Amino acid sequence: MRIGKLAKLMNERGFDGALVSPGSNFYYLTGLRIHEAGERPTLLAINADGEFHLLVPSLYENVVRDFPVTFWRDGENPYEKLSAVMGELGIKAGRVLIENTMRADWLIEVMRISSIEPYPLSSLIRELRMRKDREEIKLMEKAARVVDEVFEEILSWDLVGTTEKELALRIELAIRERSDGISFEPIVAGGENGANPHHEPSERKLRKGDMVILDYGARWRGYCSDITRTVALGRPSEKLVEIYEVVKDAQEQAFQAVREGVKAREIDGTARSVIEKAGYGRFFTHRTGHGLGLDVHEEPYIGPDGEVVLENGMTFTIEPGIYVPGLGGVRIEDDVVVKGKGRRLTKAERELIIL
Ligand code: CO
Ligand code: CO
């Protein structure tokens, strides 16, 4: 069980306890879908012996079953109950891991009722979450299959004359039909808008000659996919075709460089050097990729400072791009798992497609 694994690590590293509020770590540890706790304190408390207890608003009485749990009702003081839970587990003092995204008002109250020394939970749990097990990889394969299918569907649409916003909405619907939802708001960037890597879809209509960046992702049982393809509407300029080929080459070479034992920054370096050699170095303005799992951005980050040594089961994106102001941009992104070498989870066509 994952709580047990975390407790073992806590024990080894001299931590006394952990307090986890809802979010991806909470889901990872409990499997409970309590996404929006809002202002009502909701916490999983764990000690280094692997004992744990939940404090949950009574709203969730029918959701939380088979767990050691204390419910609290509106009108009651949840921190009195939390104090008892922490006392029972012996974690009212000592080095206690705190979920990084815990609301400040909850943490302030926790500090008032205890004398803990807080540390970020991410510093420890990252070691577990970075390596996916077979079950997790299966879920990610499904999330990736969804975005591949959606790309096939996009190719059958008539894109000329559609606004970026309309296309983003259609993509979102196509994702939702096949999955549990989107993993982030789709990005559609046509023509010169493609020069902004995180462009927000606008009222601009797509027209002939545009390169269009499509970046979107699906969620399946909590796990994310994240794909980018750049398609051309009609024959693009020679310059844009050249840029496309450089990005495709950078993406492929970075993918080929993935293997167990290599540092993340070496993957970034491979992509970056292809783009630099082609003379576009200063137009590649972000890291090469990011870890992917329950969060759409998580460790390991594939950037120039990526010191993580790749291990089997790690999953991340490879997404180099070139963005030329006034002209446009190209990005190609796949999701990859390390299995000795790299294996692509997303498999949609990477050759330039002219629609
Ligand atoms: Co993306
Ligand atoms: Co990405």
Side-chain angles (χ1 to χ4, degrees), residues 24 53 59 61 113 135-136 161 226 259 291 352:
S24 56
H53 199 93
L59 287 175
E61 270 177 1
I113 60 166
E135 190 54 36
E136 291 179 288
D226 180 6
R259 59 178 51 80
L352 178 59

Side-chain angles (χ1 to χ4, degrees), residues 331-343:
R331 178 166 67 255
I332 301 173
E333 171 179 31
D334 280 317
D335 304 341
V336 169
V337 58
V338 185
K339 256 192 166 180
K341 299 192 303 175
R343 199 161 58 78

